[in-house]
Amino acid sequence: MVPIEYYLILSVVLFAMGAAGVLARRNALIIFMSIELMLNAANLAFVTFARQYGQLDGQVFVFFVIAAAAAEVAVGLALIVMIFRSKHSIDVDQMSSLRE
Amino acid sequence: MTTPVKLLDFITILPVIFLAAWACLLLLVDLWVKHKRVTAYLAALGLAIGLGLLWYQAAWIGNAGFNHMVVLDGFSVFVNALLLLSGLLGIALAYGYLRRMGIERGEFYPLVLFSLSGMMLMAQAADLIVVFLSLEFLSIPLYVLTAFAYPKAASEEAGLKYFLLGAFAGGFVVYGIALVYGAAATTALDGIIAAVAEGRANLSLLVSGAALILVGLGFKVAIVPFHMWTPDAYQGAPSAVTAFMSSAAKLAGFAALVRIFALAFSSLSDDLIPILWGLSALTMLVGNLLAIPQTNIKRMLAYSSIAHAGYILMAFTAFGNPGVAEVSIAAVLFYLAAYTVTNYGAWGVVILLERAGDLGLEIGGYAGLGRKYPALAACMTIFMLSLIGLPPTLGLVGKFYLFRAVIAADLIPLAVIGVLTSLISAWYYLRVVVNMYMRTGDPEISPEPWALTITGLMAILTVLVSLLPGWLFFLASQARLNLF
């Protein structure tokens, strides 16, 4: 059996990749995908711990997180589409109407 | 250990359920309502009924519901009452403003109610999963509200920025919860305490989880260095939304922070004190210093709101010290109440002076207000004094309690930073006052009855309650955290 640590290391790597993606990428869609990666890293950690403790709780939490993420997608994509329509770009560096 | 759902479970979160259901109904009713004013009054009616239910619910204080997922205690009732009142104030300010700005759409009011029910659930959450769900529940409507002035570019961009950074923060919270679950094999606050007490918990995992949750909630309440979204979101959002978001979202965020850290992580206090110390000092310094060069009043108030998050965090730094925790939580609650009153008043003035097309938002545009509208200028002066923390205002009393808690915890250097940054803040707050009275100009206001009433009322409350603050502090100190 694959040891628990391997899953956890993978989850930490995924989370770090997601966080780095949010900070480094400038395309709103890619940033959003990176955030989803962070959420799924957490899901992997939940499932791993649930398996370690032999509980179902952790697996149920994953459903909650997936549902919340889906709700976020609905609003997030709507916002991105709206901005794309008016600016024809979703590069966050070009959103400068709020800078002094 | 799980018990079947009882009627009592529903009573513990009655106002939350009612508000969410009312918002759903309102979405439907709004289809047939021709004048959106009616929707506003119905939403306000819902909030008033919510307050009534909260009062009814108070008889059951001390109960937990849904297998200890939520609790009903003095703390949650205090916070929820403040949240409902701030919802009423937000709707009153939005009432005329939305029409004037040409964005009077019916969805506005249900969205406010949805967000509020998420916030109220957050104040009652006794399980980290409920904290996460209510965090999303309150945030998602706020993202939409921030972008509510579409197709105005500034509002759309503010919405997207708030959304991206808010979702980013959500990621930290979820991962933090996963780590805490890994450390304690449960996400229930009482379970975490038991696991720590019995030495079952993996402490290094627990500390990293707590730190990630702190980062995530720090984003929500705008603590430096997680504040980047605040000035943009506050400036780009319609002013009535900013008023609501800067008061209510802060309240809910701090309520969750206080409950999670004071209860579940109080044993980690020694590890977390240096972090909280640094964060609050940094927040007070950066918030106040960056507010100085601002010329736009919305941006200035955004930095001011960051600075105030720093003051509140300062009082909470010593949360694990049993002798101080009670005083510091009462001080935090009192300050949140005081900040809500003052903040709504100040935003009321901003809303009265704002004109379509982002006009009337420059601080220079307040010149001559003292001569032309002396009563309004007097109100604004009171709010600015209160934000600095000068007598005779609520801000002074609130800061007094905050500093008392900090000094009781023996964190004197932090208190000194707090006092010094308050002095710095006088610079930019008083600049507004100087502009109003000592420069000549011809500002124009839009005489909206509700916004005028709220502004006047908040000014009166800011002064009157500061003369007799005892009862409010008594209520705040009675608002105890329970666990069961």
Side-chain angles (χ1 to χ4, degrees):
Chain A
M1 197 180 108
V2 184
I4 293 287
E5 285 74 23
Y6 288 18
Y7 293 105
L8 285 182
I9 291 167
L10 175 63
S11 132
V12 170
V13 169
L14 285 178
F15 185 78
M17 276 169 61
V22 173
L23 298 174
R25 303 301 293 263
R26 305 279 34 107
N27 182 308
L29 264 181
I30 307 272
I31 293 179
F32 192 36
M33 283 162 63
S34 305
I35 292 170
E36 292 295 310
L37 197 60
M38 291 167 72
L39 293 178
N40 284 318
N43 286 344
L44 182 60
F46 268 127
V47 173
T48 309
F49 288 125
R51 186 183 172 85
Q52 184 189 350
Y53 295 123
Q55 292 176 342
L56 271 181
D57 302 27
Q59 306 197 9
V60 176
F61 298 155
V62 172
F63 287 115
F64 284 117
V65 176
I66 291 175
E72 244 173 17
V73 170
V75 170
L77 287 186
L79 281 170
I80 292 175
V81 167
M82 190 171 74
I83 291 209
F84 184 76
R85 274 196 193 141
S86 55
K87 292 180 89 97
H88 298 287
S89 156
I90 46 170
D91 187 331
V92 286
D93 278 343
Q94 288 185 13
M95 297 183 192
S96 48
S97 56
L98 284 167
R99 268 177 218 146
E100 292 288 287
Chain B
M1 263 197 5
T2 52
T3 49
V5 174
K6 299 185 300 287
L7 185 63
L8 182 64
D9 291 335
F10 292 100
I11 291 176
T12 49
I13 54 164
L14 193 56
V16 179
I17 298 175
F18 169 78
L19 222 53
W22 189 265
C24 292
L25 273 179
L26 209 55
L27 271 179
L28 271 182
V29 171
D30 182 64
L31 287 175
W32 288 280
V33 170
K34 204 165 159 205
H35 297 287
K36 299 305 169 194
R37 271 167 288 179
V38 180
T39 318
Y41 280 114
L42 284 175
L45 176 68
L47 291 174
I49 299 176
L51 272 173
L53 289 175
L54 197 67
W55 191 65
Y56 164 79
Q57 198 194 24
W60 279 274
I61 282 186
N63 278 299
F66 298 102
N67 289 308
H68 294 203
M69 289 286 226
V70 289
V71 293
L72 173 65
D73 54 9
F75 180 82
S76 76
V77 171
F78 187 92
V79 173
N80 283 353
L82 266 182
L83 282 172
L84 284 167
L85 287 173
S86 88
L88 276 174
L89 295 174
I91 286 178
L93 286 186
Y95 181 75
Y97 176 82
L98 293 181
R99 189 174 339 154
R100 187 149 52 87
M101 297 293 147
I103 48 172
E104 194 182 36
R105 306 181 182 117
E107 317 84 270
F108 183 89
Y109 303 102
L111 282 170
V112 169
L113 295 195
F114 279 129
S115 181
L116 263 176
S117 46
M119 292 167 184
M120 290 169 65
L121 188 62
M122 194 147 169
Q124 293 193 282
D127 189 295
L128 293 177
I129 285 300
V130 180
V131 171
F132 168 67
L133 285 179
S134 51
L135 184 71
E136 294 291 322
F137 192 12
L138 81 86
S139 302
I140 292 173
L142 278 184
Y143 304 146
V144 182
L145 285 173
T146 308
F148 203 74
Y150 74 89
K152 202 175 102 184
S155 178
E156 289 180 349
E157 286 177 19
L160 186 70
K161 277 184 189 167
Y162 188 28
F163 166 73
L164 287 177
L165 286 166
F168 187 45
F172 278 97
V173 173
V174 183
Y175 205 76
I177 295 172
L179 292 185
V180 171
Y181 175 65
T186 174
T187 52
L189 298 189
D190 51 355
I192 296 168
I193 297 173
V196 173
E198 292 161 18
R200 280 188 285 119
N202 178 336
L203 280 184
S204 56
L205 265 186
L206 194 64
V207 171
S208 3
L212 284 180
I213 294 175
L214 180 65
V215 170
L217 290 176
F219 264 105
K220 284 289 155 196
V221 296
I223 286 169
V224 180
F226 318 118
H227 67 288
M228 303 80 77
W229 59 273
T230 319
D232 287 348
Y234 281 19
Q235 189 191 349
S239 299
V241 174
T242 315
F244 173 67
M245 160 160 101
S246 59
S247 311
K250 212 175 218 77
L251 251 167
F254 269 110
L257 202 67
V258 166
R259 187 185 293 280
I260 298 173
F261 281 80
L263 290 180
F265 297 148
S266 62
S267 52
L268 307 180
S269 172
D270 289 341
D271 296 312
L272 290 172
I273 278 189
I275 302 178
L276 288 175
W277 200 107
L279 285 179
S280 73
L282 200 63
T283 310
M284 291 187 285
L285 280 170
V286 171
N288 281 313
L289 288 176
L290 287 185
I292 294 177
Q294 304 306 328
T295 54
N296 180 300
I297 187 111
K298 284 174 86 172
R299 234 177 149 76
M300 188 273 263
L301 284 175
Y303 281 107
S304 134
S305 124
I306 296 173
H308 284 274
Y311 295 126
I312 298 172
L313 194 67
M314 169 185 80
F316 187 60
T317 301
F319 68 91
N321 182 337
V324 188
E326 213 158 282
V327 185
S328 92
I329 291 171
V332 166
L333 285 180
F334 186 93
Y335 201 78
L336 282 170
Y339 181 70
T340 304
V341 170
T342 308
N343 194 41
Y344 267 114
W347 281 103
V349 178
V350 173
I351 282 172
L352 285 168
L353 268 107
E354 183 175 349
R355 279 167 286 130
D358 282 341
L359 294 171
L361 288 174
E362 293 301 307
I363 294 176
Y366 283 56
L369 196 69
R371 180 153 309 186
K372 202 167 169 193
Y373 302 102
L376 194 66
C379 290
M380 191 59 167
T381 309
I382 290 172
F383 301 135
M384 291 299 122
L385 291 180
S386 180
L387 288 172
I388 305 172
L390 289 178
T393 61
L394 212 45
L396 169 78
V397 188
K399 279 224 174 93
F400 169 76
Y401 287 129
L402 288 184
F403 283 119
R404 201 179 60 169
V406 180
I407 289 167
D410 227 13
L411 296 167
I412 309 294
L414 193 57
V416 171
I417 296 179
V419 173
L420 286 180
T421 50
S422 299
L423 282 178
I424 297 175
S425 74
W427 173 259
Y428 59 87
Y429 289 128
L430 286 181
R431 208 175 51 200
V432 178
V433 179
V434 167
N435 256 307
M436 288 191 304
Y437 287 102
M438 301 194 181
R439 303 239 167 91
T440 48
D442 190 29
E444 262 182 64
I445 68 162
S446 321
E448 283 166 12
W450 277 112
L452 281 172
T453 316
I454 295 297
T455 310
L457 193 68
M458 291 302 116
I460 294 169
L461 276 180
T462 306
V463 174
L464 270 192
V465 180
S466 82
L467 301 177
L468 293 164
W471 62 272
L472 186 57
F473 191 73
F474 176 76
L475 282 181
S477 52
Q478 290 301 305
R480 286 181 211 287
L481 282 167
N482 284 355
L483 191 66
F484 320 108

